[in-house]
Amino acid sequence: MISRSPTPYVGILAVAGTLALLPLYASSYQLAFAIGLLNFAVLATAWGLFSGPTRYVSLASVVFFGIGSYTVAIVGEVMPWPAVLLVAALIGGAVALVVGLATLRLAGIYFVIFTFGLSEMVRQLVTWYEVNVTLSIGRYIFLDITQTQIFWQLLALLAIVMLGAVALQRSRLGFALRVIGGDETMARHFGLNPTFAKLALFVASSMIMALAGAIMAPRWTYIDPAIAFNITLSFQVVIMALLGGMHRIYGPMLGAILMTFLFEALSNHFPQAFSLMLGLVFIVIVYLLPNGIVGRLEEGLARTRRKPATASAKVGERT
Amino acid sequence: MFLYALLSGLTLGGVYALVALGLTIQYGVSRTLNLGYGEFLIGAAFAVFVMFGTFGISPYLLAIVVLPGAFALSWLVYRVMLMPIVRRARSPMALEIDSLLLTFGLLFAIMGIMLLMFGSNYTNYSYLSVPVRVMDATVALNRLISFGVAVVVGIIAYILLMHTRTGMALRAVSVDPVGARLVGIDVNWAAGLAFGLGGAIAAMGGILISTYMTFTAEMGVIFTMKALIVVIMAGVGHVVGALVAGLVLGLIEAFVAAYLDPGLTVAVIYAVFLLTLIIRPQGIFGRVAR
């Protein structure tokens, strides 16, 4: 079950190393596009890290992303950059710990609804605080960080997340998670602690999202709660991960790449139709791609090789 | 101040109770959560806005056209969109996730269509915004009428559910879908009917709200969320509970806005919701699921 081959690690490092040369050749438009793409790839992979094995649909991505951005806006100028990133990740993790402790024991549907509104609540609380305590709604971020540096940071983050995901897959915790995803009651009988495992994953995934938010923050120069905590981002992340397929580590990233191109094309030609398109993609996923594009490709491969369908992954199983 | 908060809380709570009633009927009977629910409310508000603007007919009279339309559309949503998912579902959990994602799709699709038609501007129109004195406070007439209509519709729905054969069939399905089939109730028919009824009730709420509130094409989600909070706080499928919890939610919102800060209403509602989830996950009036 647990493979120890170094191939995936070497592969990830090689791809990341090659991509790191991109800023030397790309135009500033292409670089900006690549940054957006990497950001979504990080967020979708982090989302899949938690939601893939646990099947909890979280709509709180933007909460942690926004926390990261706000941390930069508040402490960005008074601390060295690595410390800012650390603080962002820690705050994101702490919030995730509280939210997770309160909600992860609940049935999946309550979790969805709770995270659905969490961003609205956080947005309102931050707005209230800014209006009543700091007396100004927006904040400016003037940091000396170039697009290229943002690109490299995101690329490094993505590579680390992928390496971590592969390592997790091969660890005892990863194995425990597969058992929990398959059958939680059975997992309890084996002496596994599903709530702890879910909580650990939720915190880890939230810290990554907070980091992404912090890294992206210098691009904005101006943020206010409505920008930093825009719930659309949460839906985009969910749809990317589902489109790609959650049962493989690289599935969400594939979905992020495809959707970023689609969003870009659409927002250039039909800026008004964004919501409609998002809705239609959700519907298409449910009817036609229940296991994402990766799942569909694997089914196709299994069929051409005339193998039985066991080659396609089952729900809750990640390899 | 107190009287004003009480009155605005009651009028708002009346509509919340009504909207939650529709959702609890849909969710309780069909067991599939419709996240596009609030879009039917906003859709009705826009429909009334357009028809009132072109024909000048009273929004309350327009209900005769809008409600059957909303009923038919919601019924179609269940029969065409959700039934294939229900049929292919291998486990309740798979169905839950699929129906959530599908109704997310519905939410964005309807919202997208409304955005294309009306843009994202705040919309409102003026109808019966005549001040009325109630004891020491003044309320707009349209708010009072909304409250009255909400009460009447709530009572009618209660009588239909509790004292007719069809209502009994719906309640039977919501208590035990398998048992209901054994006594000869067509579960798919019941779920379709519940979806239609819920959609019509949501549309009624939309008509009432449109007379005194500004609305945008993107606001449906907020109503879905508030209705869901009420439904879960009350206990899924509990009709009277939803009505009571809806009123309470409206009152909380009005008093927080009056005494604390209008910017904190969602935060307080959320805190109450979270407390309920932790202390009584089955809802205040709900029974523990067997």
Side-chain angles (χ1 to χ4, degrees):
Chain A
M1 287 295 280
I2 294 178
S3 152
R4 300 206 182 279
S5 130
T7 326
Y9 299 117
V10 176
I12 292 166
L13 286 175
V15 173
T18 318
L19 284 175
L21 301 173
L22 187 83
L24 303 178
Y25 304 101
S27 69
S28 66
Y29 167 78
Q30 286 164 337
L31 189 59
F33 179 76
I35 287 174
L37 199 157
L38 275 180
N39 178 39
F40 276 121
V42 170
L43 291 174
T45 308
W47 190 87
L49 205 61
F50 166 69
S51 297
T54 60
R55 310 300 286 174
Y56 274 94
V57 176
S58 162
L59 290 171
S61 310
V62 77
V63 172
F64 303 108
F65 185 81
I67 285 174
S69 302
Y70 251 87
T71 311
V72 173
I74 294 165
V75 301
E77 287 174 21
V78 295
M79 283 182 168
W81 185 242
V84 174
L85 290 183
L86 185 68
V87 170
L90 288 179
I91 296 176
V95 173
L97 193 66
V98 175
V99 172
L101 278 175
T103 53
L104 282 176
R105 279 168 302 165
L106 300 168
I109 199 145
Y110 293 140
F111 183 79
V112 183
I113 294 154
F114 185 78
T115 55
F116 191 34
L118 186 69
S119 55
E120 182 67 16
M121 183 175 85
V122 171
R123 188 177 64 77
Q124 213 181 40
L125 283 175
V126 174
T127 311
W128 181 83
Y129 180 85
E130 298 280 61
V131 168
N132 289 285
V133 182
T134 59
L135 303 177
S136 91
I137 185 81
R139 284 171 184 273
Y140 291 91
I141 303 169
F142 295 120
L143 288 173
D144 200 17
I145 293 173
T146 62
Q147 298 272 48
T148 310
Q149 284 166 329
I150 294 178
F151 177 86
W152 279 333
Q153 290 179 60
L154 282 174
L155 188 63
L157 181 60
L158 182 60
I160 293 168
V161 171
M162 299 293 281
L163 291 173
V166 175
L168 175 75
Q169 198 85 68
R170 299 171 167 194
S171 70
R172 286 174 59 89
L173 181 63
F175 190 69
L177 281 165
R178 284 200 289 281
V179 178
I180 292 167
D183 187 338
E184 200 172 310
T185 319
M186 192 172 76
R188 275 182 210 283
H189 285 295
F190 286 158
L192 297 169
N193 184 346
T195 307
F196 170 77
K198 285 189 248 175
L199 193 63
L201 265 194
F202 187 57
V203 171
S205 138
S206 305
M207 287 171 92
I208 299 164
M209 291 177 180
L211 273 175
I215 294 173
M216 288 293 279
R219 287 189 87 200
W220 275 326
T221 65
Y222 171 84
I223 65 167
D224 64 28
I227 298 176
F229 297 102
N230 182 356
I231 183 105
T232 313
L233 183 91
S234 296
F235 284 105
Q236 281 172 295
V237 170
V238 173
I239 207 165
M240 285 167 176
L242 289 172
L243 180 71
M246 284 197 299
H247 61 286
R248 301 274 179 229
I249 290 168
Y250 54 86
M253 193 176 64
L254 182 71
I257 295 170
L258 290 173
M259 287 301 282
T260 313
F261 276 103
L262 192 59
F263 284 142
E264 181 73 9
L266 271 163
S267 59
N268 284 343
H269 298 288
F270 312 97
Q272 296 288 317
F274 180 81
S275 301
L276 182 58
M277 204 275 313
L278 199 62
L280 294 179
V281 176
F282 262 117
I283 293 170
V284 166
I285 288 175
V286 173
Y287 286 126
L288 303 177
L289 303 166
N291 284 324
I293 290 174
V294 174
R296 173 65 38 151
L297 288 177
E298 281 166 357
E299 269 171 44
L301 273 179
R303 209 170 297 142
T304 50
R305 285 181 193 158
R306 294 183 176 279
K307 271 186 187 169
T310 45
S312 72
K314 288 178 196 77
V315 167
E317 192 175 293
R318 282 155 68 95
T319 36
Chain B
M1 184 91 152
F2 177 80
L3 199 62
Y4 173 77
L6 185 71
L7 280 171
S8 82
L10 279 178
T11 50
L12 199 63
V15 177
Y16 285 168
L18 189 65
V19 175
L21 171 73
L23 188 65
T24 210
I25 293 174
Q26 279 194 350
Y27 188 23
V29 176
S30 71
R31 308 259 163 141
T32 44
L33 184 54
N34 178 10
L35 291 172
Y37 182 74
E39 308 309 314
F40 284 86
L41 187 149
I42 297 295
F46 272 112
V48 168
F49 166 73
V50 169
M51 285 194 276
F52 177 68
T54 36
F55 309 117
I57 308 169
S58 156
Y60 302 120
L61 276 178
L62 286 170
I64 300 170
V65 193
V66 174
L67 297 196
F71 183 97
L73 275 179
S74 293
W75 184 81
L76 277 176
V77 164
Y78 187 78
R79 300 297 287 200
V80 177
M81 280 183 75
L82 285 165
M83 252 173 59
I85 302 290
V86 175
R87 284 226 179 90
R88 82 166 188 207
R90 262 166 284 158
S91 69
M93 196 179 169
L95 176 62
E96 200 171 71
I97 293 176
D98 275 355
S99 64
L100 271 176
L101 298 177
L102 195 61
T103 53
F104 270 137
L106 184 68
L107 184 172
F108 281 109
I110 300 180
M111 188 169 97
I113 292 170
M114 289 194 295
L115 277 172
L116 285 176
M117 286 171 73
F118 303 102
S120 56
N121 301 328
Y122 280 87
T123 310
N124 70 328
Y125 62 93
S126 176
Y127 183 74
L128 286 187
S129 53
V130 195
V132 180
R133 282 200 79 75
V134 179
M135 291 185 277
D136 283 337
T138 44
V139 206
L141 182 59
N142 48 29
R143 277 181 181 258
L144 277 185
I145 294 179
S146 297
F147 182 68
V149 174
V151 170
V152 170
V153 173
I155 291 172
I156 292 175
Y158 182 80
I159 292 172
L160 284 179
L161 281 174
M162 294 299 170
H163 297 285
T164 63
R165 276 183 71 83
T166 311
M168 194 160 75
L170 289 184
R171 282 187 292 133
V173 175
S174 102
V175 172
D176 186 348
V178 180
R181 186 167 284 156
L182 289 178
V183 294
I185 300 168
D186 182 346
V187 175
N188 282 328
W189 162 82
L193 181 64
F195 249 74
L197 278 178
I201 292 174
M204 191 69 233
I207 294 175
L208 296 179
I209 281 173
S210 72
T211 58
Y212 62 87
M213 231 186 226
T214 50
F215 50 93
T216 75
E218 290 157 315
M219 251 168 74
V221 180
I222 297 171
F223 285 101
T224 309
M225 218 167 77
K226 284 183 180 163
L228 261 177
I229 289 179
V230 172
V231 167
I232 290 168
M233 272 173 62
V236 175
H238 200 289
V239 172
V240 180
L243 293 175
V244 175
L247 272 180
V248 171
L249 193 76
L251 284 171
I252 292 177
E253 207 174 301
F255 276 97
V256 169
Y259 287 97
L260 207 57
D261 192 311
L264 285 180
T265 46
V266 174
V268 172
I269 286 174
Y270 244 75
V272 175
F273 176 53
L274 186 60
L275 266 180
T276 323
L277 278 186
I278 293 169
I279 300 167
R280 272 185 79 84
Q282 73 273 32
I284 297 169
F285 302 95
R287 282 152 299 180
V288 182
R290 280 152 295 162

